[in-house]
Amino acid sequence: MQFYGAGGMETIPKRRARGYSGHTAARASVAARIARKAHLEATPKMFDTIIRGGTVIDGLRTPRFRADIGIKDGRVASIGRIHNENGARVIDAEGLIVAPGFVDLHTHYDSQVYWDPWCSISGWHGVTSVVIGNCGFGFAPVRSEDQERAMLTMARNEAVPMESMREGMAWDWETYPEFLSSLERTPKGVNLLSYVGLNPLMSYVMGLEEAKGRSATEAERDEMCRLFEEALQAGACGFSVQLGGEESVQRDYDGTPMITDLMSEDDLLAFAGVMGKVGRGFAQISGPFEAAEKVAAVSGRPVIWNLLAPATDQHGQNTPPHRLMIEKLDEANAKGLRIFGQALTVDVGFEFNLEDWNLYDSSPIWREVTIGTREVRMAKMRDGDVRQALRDEFDAGHGPIAGGGIESQMKAAGGGANVSGIAQLTVEEVESPELKEYEGHGLAEIAEREGKHIIDTFLDLSLADDLQATFVTPPRPTDPAAMAEVANSSVAIPGVSDGGAHTKFITLGAYPTEFLARWVRDAGIMDLEQAHWRLAAYPALAAGFRDRGCIREGAPADIVVYDYEKLEMLPIEKAWDFPAGAWRRVRKAEGYRYTLVNGEVTFEDRDCTGATPGQLLRHGSA
């Protein structure tokens, strides 16, 4: 027998004569592999992590391409073909989408980040950066003696559990720069950018009641502007404000409007002038579009305006016709006013019980019923005069809409049968065994069957179940054509998760998954390249992020890896995972394989790794 070796043709007998054998060759091969492995292990890796073989959508509207991504020291170091042995860890992304992590501009995780570093729900849905302090609400600056009142405010207007804030917040600050330093010290699983909420700032200088009753004096205005400038220099991204007026549906703990709902235009524009002076920052405005235009004009800085939507806002209120608002946004930008439209891209439905519900505030009667201790509220619900007033309001067609608004106003604006009023409520769940027969039935059906007024049916059932009976509103379905017009308009940014707020009523933090799975994949309103630009690079640009929102060499490695065909939202559940044993409604997702923040994996499949690589982004950058 002959074979060709390194020195030409030899016979087996000749090789054996020279001391060769099959066993010797095998031992030599094993030894070589061991030596090579030892060499590789001893050699420093070029990359900390390699994401191999995925379909890359870089967030810049570049056509998708297949490539490996090498990550080193938290940043994208290479995009191309990379040998596996160059990475300390290799993530197999074959058949998966590799895209920039999502940027959530509208959240209220100001307190939750202290006990939930990953800011779930957002962190479960591929979000890697969030902006907190929206709508003018927040916790800085706040003096120690005012901390309780600040938490009470947030417990009402954003429905954050009071007991969780009391137990879970650090409260190791007073001033806004001290608050940023506290956030910096706090472990984070996402990156944070923070507004200065104008409510706590005005209260700090003027006093709560004074600020609600009058405009600032010149001295007070100067001091507020000084503190705002100090906050901008420390790293705040700008200011946020809610301008709801006397009829605001998102109110303070005592049922009165928030400070900024009543603030003067002079005060508002003074803050805008500070941004113009500093040449930094942007504003988030919930309120009249005209206010956004004035702030943009005075400041020369970008404004994120809430809300652009096909029908209603995240609280169920009617919004101006979307085509009209798209036209206004385009006109404003053509004039040089940089105004972005925060777009609601989800169907809004509520699940609630009357122990916690506070989103009937558009009705003065219901507002009064839902203010006070639990015992006080139950007494009001039993009061005959109160019930008669509620019945009269309902019979006149002026009952409240879940989340905000009045039935008669909604119908006049074209809401029709989709109005989420009391007559549309369904009993989802009760705790008392004696009441189980009501589950799955509508309030109107129950009232007719029992010969009672629907208001009495609603209140009697709630009281009989110790306020634990859960009611659901039907989500208002969105017309796909209208959603396509909104989502594809020139300055629209999907979102409005309200993450961290209304925790027992809604789960809008799932919006990235709903956007990709429902609107892009199933409805086809845009391609994936456009979708990822809208979900990451565009909001990052609008919010002044300096180097995030896309996958490119040198950028921080905020990346999501997912299975496009398997992407879906899971059912809404209750979770008792807040401090002091408080519960909330949560909604997770299927299809996300890996989420990386600054190069570290924070979620693998649906499991949190415990890593906290998130950073506070002062001036839009770490």
Side-chain angles (χ1 to χ4, degrees):
M1 181 179 295
Q2 296 176 333
F3 70 96
Y4 288 87
M9 187 173 70
E10 290 186 320
T11 63
I12 287 178
K14 285 182 181 179
R15 287 179 64 86
R16 286 177 178 164
R18 292 171 55 191
Y20 284 82
S21 73
H23 294 296
T24 302
R27 283 197 297 273
S29 176
V30 170
R33 288 198 298 271
I34 292 173
R36 176 173 173 76
K37 181 180 179 182
H39 172 73
L40 290 173
E41 290 176 348
T43 302
K45 299 300 182 185
M46 186 177 297
F47 304 107
D48 300 321
T49 301
I50 295 172
I51 302 174
R52 181 175 59 80
T55 298
V56 178
I57 298 178
D58 62 11
L60 297 173
R61 293 185 285 192
T62 307
R64 68 194 71 183
F65 57 95
R66 188 176 178 190
D68 306 329
I69 296 176
I71 299 169
K72 184 71 174 177
D73 297 328
R75 292 182 176 268
V76 175
S78 179
I79 301 174
R81 184 174 297 174
I82 303 172
H83 295 295
N84 283 353
E85 57 264 29
N86 285 333
R89 177 179 184 177
V90 177
I91 291 174
D92 183 5
E94 185 76 28
L96 304 176
I97 299 293
V98 180
F102 311 129
V103 176
D104 188 346
L105 296 186
H106 194 103
T107 82
H108 296 277
Y109 291 120
D110 308 53
S111 57
Q112 187 176 325
V113 68
Y114 284 97
W115 63 79
D116 174 11
W118 303 276
C119 293
S120 59
I121 299 172
S122 295
W124 296 331
H125 290 266
V127 171
T128 55
S129 296
V130 303
V131 181
I132 62 173
N134 277 270
C135 300
F137 311 147
F139 297 107
V142 173
R143 295 182 179 84
S144 58
E145 61 267 27
D146 296 326
Q147 291 171 1
E148 181 79 1
R149 186 63 175 84
M151 290 187 288
L152 285 170
T153 291
M154 198 67 81
R156 177 76 186 180
N157 61 26
E158 294 295 347
V160 183
M162 185 68 185
E163 64 271 31
S164 298
M165 288 188 285
R166 282 175 174 153
E167 182 173 304
M169 291 182 69
W171 281 118
D172 53 355
W173 69 86
E174 176 178 323
T175 69
Y176 195 89
E178 289 170 347
F179 173 62
L180 291 183
S181 295
S182 177
L183 290 174
E184 198 158 42
R185 292 189 298 270
T186 300
K188 296 172 288 296
V190 295
N191 304 304
L192 286 182
L193 200 64
S194 180
Y195 289 111
V196 177
L198 293 189
N199 279 283
L201 177 54
M202 296 181 72
S203 178
Y204 186 79
V205 173
M206 300 175 65
L208 179 63
E209 297 306 324
E210 287 290 306
K212 287 189 178 186
R214 60 174 174 84
S215 297
T217 65
E218 184 176 351
E220 289 168 337
R221 190 175 295 133
D222 288 345
E223 176 63 4
M224 291 190 296
C225 287
R226 184 191 71 80
L227 291 173
F228 178 46
E229 183 173 347
E230 177 184 74
L232 284 175
Q233 299 292 6
C237 64
F239 74 77
S240 68
V241 63
Q242 170 184 286
L243 303 169
E246 291 281 359
E247 301 305 315
S248 173
V249 299
Q250 201 160 230
R251 291 179 171 249
D252 204 347
Y253 179 71
D254 58 1
T256 61
M258 296 297 296
I259 292 173
T260 59
D261 287 328
L262 307 172
M263 74 184 297
S264 73
E265 185 176 284
D266 287 344
D267 290 345
L268 176 66
L269 297 183
F271 291 114
V274 173
M275 291 197 300
K277 170 189 171 184
V278 175
R280 176 180 290 156
F282 65 102
Q284 181 266 329
I285 295 179
S286 295
F289 186 73
E290 293 71 24
E293 291 182 298
K294 290 177 181 178
V295 168
V298 169
S299 69
R301 304 299 304 166
V303 172
I304 305 214
W305 174 75
N306 291 54
L307 182 80
L308 177 62
T312 64
D313 67 12
Q314 75 269 33
H315 303 125
Q317 292 191 100
N318 262 359
T319 54
H322 68 273
R323 289 179 181 169
L324 172 63
M325 296 318 302
I326 290 170
E327 183 179 332
K328 283 180 174 290
L329 284 160
D330 287 343
E331 289 175 353
N333 279 272
K335 292 187 295 187
L337 304 178
R338 195 69 166 131
I339 305 177
F340 298 91
Q342 185 81 71
L344 184 70
T345 55
V346 297
D347 288 343
V348 180
F350 294 91
E351 299 179 55
F352 68 92
N353 61 36
L354 290 184
E355 180 175 44
D356 304 298
W357 186 239
N358 67 332
L359 289 177
Y360 276 165
D361 275 0
S362 50
S363 160
I365 308 170
W366 273 104
R367 186 191 312 148
E368 179 59 31
V369 169
T370 55
I371 288 174
T373 66
R374 190 171 183 278
E375 292 71 23
V376 167
R377 285 181 280 122
M378 292 178 77
K380 293 176 186 175
M381 293 176 198
R382 293 188 177 99
D383 185 272
D385 292 338
V386 171
R387 286 203 178 198
Q388 187 58 55
L390 292 172
R391 286 193 293 263
D392 291 344
E393 177 186 74
F394 180 89
D395 291 342
H398 301 318
I401 301 300
I406 299 295
E407 287 187 16
S408 54
Q409 297 170 351
M410 183 80 82
K411 289 177 180 177
N418 289 324
V419 171
S420 297
I422 293 171
Q424 282 72 45
L425 293 178
T426 297
V427 182
E428 181 182 55
E429 183 182 20
V430 296
E431 288 197 358
S432 173
E434 292 79 18
L435 303 172
K436 288 293 182 182
E437 64 177 289
Y438 293 109
E439 290 184 345
H441 296 280
L443 273 184
E445 172 195 348
I446 298 169
E448 183 177 2
R449 186 176 69 213
E450 298 188 353
K452 297 167 63 175
H453 194 282
I454 194 168
I455 293 295
D456 294 311
T457 304
F458 187 20
L459 296 177
D460 287 346
L461 183 54
S462 295
L463 291 166
D465 205 34
D466 203 27
L467 301 188
Q468 299 307 301
T470 300
F471 304 90
V472 295
T473 67
R476 295 194 65 190
T478 304
D479 174 47
M483 180 58 72
E485 291 176 351
V486 165
N488 285 289
S489 59
S490 60
V491 291
I493 298 172
V496 199
S497 80
D498 256 355
H502 311 300
T503 57
K504 297 184 179 182
F505 312 143
I506 53 177
T507 54
L508 304 187
Y511 81 89
T513 308
E514 183 167 354
F515 191 75
L516 289 172
R518 178 184 177 189
W519 295 117
V520 178
R521 184 190 63 202
D522 299 341
I525 67 170
M526 63 178 64
D527 60 29
L528 267 181
E529 285 81 356
Q530 173 84 201
H532 280 290
W533 178 72
R534 297 273 181 178
L535 289 168
Y538 203 27
L541 179 152
F545 288 77
R546 295 186 180 181
D547 52 4
R548 296 176 194 268
C550 64
I551 297 176
R552 60 172 176 80
E553 291 184 0
D558 296 343
I559 294 173
V560 62
V561 181
Y562 68 94
D563 188 327
Y564 188 40
E565 296 306 317
K566 292 183 179 178
L567 198 64
E568 64 173 320
M569 296 185 294
L570 296 177
I572 296 173
E573 303 174 274
K574 275 187 177 181
W576 282 262
D577 60 355
F578 268 21
W583 65 272
R584 60 173 175 153
R585 298 191 191 278
V586 301
R587 193 169 201 179
K588 297 185 178 182
E590 191 73 72
Y592 294 108
R593 297 296 304 280
Y594 300 92
T595 301
L596 292 84
V597 175
N598 296 308
E600 291 190 46
V601 176
T602 54
F603 287 91
E604 186 169 345
D605 293 321
R606 295 204 300 270
D607 298 323
C608 181
T609 66
T612 53
Q615 298 176 338
L616 174 68
L617 304 180
R618 297 177 188 261
H619 311 304
S621 182

